[in-house]
Amino acid sequence: MAQDLDGVREHYAAAGLLDRLRAALGTLGPEDRPMSPAQLGAIDQFHTRGHAATADLAELARIGPDDRVLDLGCGIGGPARLLAEARGCRVTGVDLSPGFVEAARYLSMRTGQLARVEFLCASALALPLADASFDVVLLQHVAMNIEDRPRLYREIRRLLAPGGRFATYDVVRGLGEPLYPAPWARDARDSFLLDPQATREAVESAGLRVAAWRDDTPMAREWAAQLKAAAAAAPSKPAGPGLGVVMGPQFPVLAGNHARNLLEGRVGVLMAVFEAT
Ligand SMILES: C[S@@+](CC[C@H](N)C(=O)[O-])C[C@H]1O[C@@H](n2cnc3c(N)ncnc32)[C@H](O)[C@@H]1O
């Protein structure tokens, strides 16, 4: 039976997101002043280790200016903007959430990048995109919401041109049950973690072979420990605009559970690049 995506859609529904973004960015400068992707880094990188992880993944996947890049589950477009600026490539972002796609377009207008990045709303499991139309497909912190991994990875393989690369950076199953709500799911019903080996087997079954493999868990734990220490040192410090703008007032609870899941070994983080065979 096909996965019912309603729970995932609801989790990332983002009601009123555009208004919250306008208000938050108003603290950084007027609407008509161009912004750099780096200025948005605290808001628009919705994954462990933020900007640094996107930059590492781009390096591991050797993304260059001639690459046509697809960012699947692009969120509000932060990784797409960062890649377009840092690597000079064109990026298409796809996300299930209409609110996120709308926000991605708005933020890319604010950074003046609409000529290099574009966004559309669709499910990663049924993409309205032509076969072999991308050189790189990126998937950052999305697979954990997707039950039918064989179908996901077949769809990614379908979109890759000969010699294309699939770059993935995702939360993987650890040695215990994750605590919820987590940043990607309110409860276990919308969470479909695989361990690293099972992830590799599922990707390889789709006709892709491993080109680079990195257990990112130690770096993720260090990042989580630093966030926890910073929160403990200044519990009432007014945080600047952050992911709470996107996910709402419950975000500190989600982030706190993510840090605990990492530090207690309940989840890990995998960064890997595969090549089309
Ligand atoms: C944790 S966010 C990561 C966003 C982005 N990749 C980033 O790193 O900033 C997960 C994203 O995956 C999207 N997503 C989840 N399931 C999806 C699906 N089946 N198809 C497309 N997008 C999906 C969500 O809407 C959400 O934007």
Side-chain angles (χ1 to χ4, degrees), residues 8 12 46-47 73-75 79 95-96 100 122-124 140-142 146:
V8 179
Y12 295 114
F46 195 174
H47 51 258
C74 63
D95 202 277
L96 191 62
F100 279 10
S123 166
Q140 285 190 289
H141 282 44
V142 181
I146 296 185

Side-chain angles (χ1 to χ4, degrees), residues 3 5 8-9 11-13 43-48 54 71-80 94-98 100 121-127 138-146 152 169 183-184 243 247:
Q3 181 186 346
L5 294 170
V8 179
R9 279 200 184 90
H11 181 66
Y12 295 114
I43 294 181
D44 69 5
Q45 304 283 322
F46 195 174
H47 51 258
T48 312
T54 304
D71 186 12
L72 264 191
C74 63
I76 62 171
V94 174
D95 202 277
L96 191 62
S97 163
F100 279 10
C121 190
S123 166
L125 297 169
L127 292 158
L138 214 74
L139 187 77
Q140 285 190 289
H141 282 44
V142 181
M144 60 256 203
N145 279 126
I146 296 185
L152 170 70
Y169 176 62
W184 67 93
L243 277 165
M247 292 304 284

